[in-house]
Amino acid sequence: HPEKGEEARKLFADAQAMLQQIIDEKWLAAKAVIGFWPANSIGDDVEVLDENGKELAKYYFLRQQTAKEGANLCLSDFIAPRETGLTDYIGGFAVTAGIGIDAHVARFEADHDDYSAIMLKALADRLAEAFAELMHLRVRKEFWGYAPTETLEIKDLVREEYQGIRPAIGYPACPEHSEKRTLFNLLQAEENAGIQLTESYAMFPTAAVSGLYFAHAEAKYFALGKINDEQLYNYTTRKGMDPDELRRIISPNID
C-alpha cells in the first residue's frame, strides 16, 4: 500500500521479532482441557449425561426467530433428540496461551512501553486462537476421532472445510455468556487448565478460548439474530433465570 505499507511492514516485523523472543525465552505457556459426554437434545436444550445415562448438566440454547429461507437454527439441532433413543455426544474445550504473560506485560508497562505490552497481548490472543484450532484438529482426527483420515491444508482450515463446529459461548450462535459456567464446571477448567471464569463470565488469563464441540456432518455456524419477548420468557423459564438479567447479557439480540 503506497501510504500504509511501510507502517504495516514495520508492525509485522516487530511482531515476528517478539514472537521469536516468546519462543526462545519461553515467555508463555499453554494449557488446554477438553471433554466429551453422552448427550441428547430436548427441544432447544441439550442434556449432558454420564456413562450411566444420568443427567450431569444441561445447556440452554436459543433459536433463530428471523423470517428466512430454510430452518431457524438452534445448536440443539445438531444433537440427536432424546426420543430417537440414540446416544449422541457433545464436547467442550477451554484453552489458553497466556500463562506467564502478566510479568512481561508489567515489565513493559513499568518502562512505559505500551506498544510492546499491547503487542504481547495481541500475540498471546493469536496463539490462543491457533491452539484452539490445533486442539480441534486433534479432536476430529484423534480424541473424538470422527474424521481420522482428514487431510486439509491451512487454507482449508481457515475456510472451515472440516466436519463439525466449535462455537464459542458468547458468540453469534450462543450469545448467552452464563452458559460458560456449565462448560467450566464440566471441564473443571480452573483446576485442569488454569483458566478462571470471572463473575461477569470473562476468562482469565484473557488469552483464552472456550466453547463446545459438535460433530454432526451438517453442523454449521450461524448468528442467532434478534429474539422476541416470547422466546426470551420461554428461555428464562426453562433456565430459571431472571428475564432482566438475560436482557442485560444479550441486549444486542433483543428485538
Side-chain angles (χ1 to χ4, degrees):
H1 191 283
E3 296 173 8
K4 301 176 184 177
E6 184 178 351
E7 278 301 311
R9 285 191 297 274
K10 179 180 182 299
L11 179 63
F12 182 76
D14 290 346
Q16 291 294 309
M18 181 176 283
L19 180 60
Q20 193 60 54
Q21 198 169 7
I22 289 170
I23 295 167
D24 293 342
E25 300 179 14
K26 296 181 170 57
W27 284 6
L28 303 176
K31 282 189 177 182
V33 56
I34 60 174
F36 311 96
W37 301 268
N40 284 118
S41 63
I42 308 169
D44 293 346
D45 304 332
V46 171
E47 184 180 43
V48 181
L49 309 169
D50 67 13
E51 63 272 16
N52 299 314
K54 181 180 178 182
E55 183 180 305
L56 287 173
K58 187 178 285 185
Y59 288 111
Y60 299 89
F61 297 121
L62 290 156
R63 184 173 295 278
Q64 292 174 316
Q65 297 294 293
T66 307
K68 59 193 278 287
E69 290 187 14
N72 290 88
L73 296 175
C74 178
L75 287 175
S76 65
D77 295 342
F78 307 131
I79 300 291
R82 184 167 63 179
E83 60 265 26
T84 64
L86 299 172
T87 299
D88 205 347
Y89 294 87
I90 192 169
F93 69 95
V95 309
T96 180
I99 297 172
I101 193 173
D102 291 343
H104 298 285
V105 170
R107 173 166 54 84
F108 287 131
E109 290 178 345
D111 291 338
H112 305 290
D113 186 356
D114 293 340
Y115 177 79
S116 294
I118 293 169
M119 177 77 75
L120 178 56
K121 292 175 185 178
L123 284 168
D125 287 343
R126 301 316 305 155
L127 289 169
E129 293 286 353
F131 193 18
E133 187 78 68
L134 173 64
M135 291 306 299
H136 195 194
L137 173 66
R138 294 190 66 189
V139 162
R140 297 192 301 272
K141 298 184 68 173
E142 179 184 348
F143 298 122
W144 197 335
Y146 61 82
T149 60
E150 177 188 300
T151 53
L152 296 176
E153 297 181 8
I154 293 293
K155 68 179 189 304
D156 302 318
L157 295 177
V158 172
R159 293 172 186 156
E160 298 166 352
E161 294 183 2
Y162 41 75
Q163 178 180 329
I165 57 174
R166 60 168 194 278
I169 296 170
Y171 282 76
C174 180
E176 209 276 88
H177 283 272
S178 71
E179 289 296 295
K180 282 182 195 165
R181 180 58 62 194
T182 300
L183 173 65
F184 270 58
N185 288 343
L186 285 167
L187 291 171
Q188 298 180 337
E190 183 171 351
E191 180 181 326
N192 290 320
I195 307 171
Q196 300 174 34
L197 197 61
T198 69
E199 289 184 1
S200 58
Y201 310 112
M203 291 178 287
F204 184 82
T206 55
V209 184
S210 65
L212 301 169
Y213 290 132
F214 292 83
H216 196 292
E218 296 179 22
K220 61 183 179 180
Y221 296 104
F222 60 90
L224 176 67
K226 300 289 186 180
I227 65 167
N228 57 25
D229 280 345
E230 183 180 359
Q231 186 176 193
L232 184 148
Y233 285 109
N234 173 276
Y235 181 87
T236 54
T237 300
R238 283 187 279 133
K239 188 166 177 174
M241 185 179 188
D242 179 3
D244 290 336
E245 174 68 5
L246 181 62
R247 286 181 183 278
R248 184 186 66 79
I249 295 175
I250 62 165
S251 57
N253 295 95
I254 301 298
D255 189 353

